[in-house]
Amino acid sequence: YGDLGITGNPHVKTPVIDDFASESIRFSRFHVSPVCAPTRSSLMTGRYSLRTGVCDTYNGGAIMAAEEVTIAEMLKQSGYRTGMFGKWHLGADLKYNPIHHGFDEFNGYLEGAIDYVDHAKTWWQGLEQKDEEGYSTHLITSHSVRYIEEHKDEPFCLFVSHEAVHLPW
């Protein structure tokens, strides 16, 4: 947040992002939960994390209730394409896959953490497990950039969730 000119950083120049932000809706009063999965459920639904069923990152605490309505589901009803790339961590079972929560496209993993390099048994493309070689941060970024290029001329929602801010570093 503090690395952008639009938010007041006097040292870092971000003119393209600043122009984009001046034409966009900005959500600037979001308060996070102490760990990632509850925060992600709040971002997905606009609701307090405990109301979504997500209270933690382990022992079943990171499973979002199936009846929760996500931003992807709402935007899809309004004609948006929806994509999610990276860490889901709102239910590791296939029935909780982002495809079942309004996303047209998903590349990433359902669990809370994966090996950045050897993730063959944890990587998903849509509803299928796929062995996609490469460093996970690069894969997530590459899929996101491709998605933007493919959908730049239509309304779209892209949710990117990198693991690089988590353990294992």
Side-chain angles (χ1 to χ4, degrees), residues 108-119 122-123 136 163 167-168:
Y109 50 101
L110 302 175
E111 299 84 5
I114 62 168
D115 184 306
Y116 291 140
V117 179
D118 183 21
H119 42 71
T122 57
W123 197 261
S136 63
E163 182 182 15
L167 291 172

Side-chain angles (χ1 to χ4, degrees), residues 89 97 122:
H89 202 196
N97 187 294
T122 57

Side-chain angles (χ1 to χ4, degrees), residues 63-133:
I63 299 174
M64 188 170 66
E67 63 272 7
E68 286 297 321
V69 178
T70 67
I71 189 169
E73 291 170 291
M74 294 181 77
L75 289 174
K76 194 171 178 172
Q77 290 177 359
S78 296
Y80 282 69
R81 296 285 304 162
T82 56
M84 195 275 174
F85 304 108
K87 179 179 179 174
W88 175 245
H89 202 196
L90 294 175
D93 191 278
L94 181 60
K95 67 183 176 185
Y96 299 109
N97 187 294
I99 298 295
H100 298 307
H101 285 281
F103 288 98
D104 297 311
E105 189 174 334
F106 169 61
N107 275 279
Y109 50 101
L110 302 175
E111 299 84 5
I114 62 168
D115 184 306
Y116 291 140
V117 179
D118 183 21
H119 42 71
K121 292 182 171 57
T122 57
W123 197 261
W124 291 81
Q125 288 181 354
L127 297 172
E128 296 181 28
Q129 266 189 306
K130 293 276 189 161
D131 183 4
E132 188 170 359
E133 291 186 23

Side-chain angles (χ1 to χ4, degrees), residues 8-27:
N9 189 311
H11 307 291
V12 178
K13 304 299 179 208
T14 56
V16 175
I17 293 173
D18 297 350
D19 285 345
F20 179 68
S22 70
E23 300 173 5
S24 304
I25 295 172
R26 293 187 317 163
F27 299 100

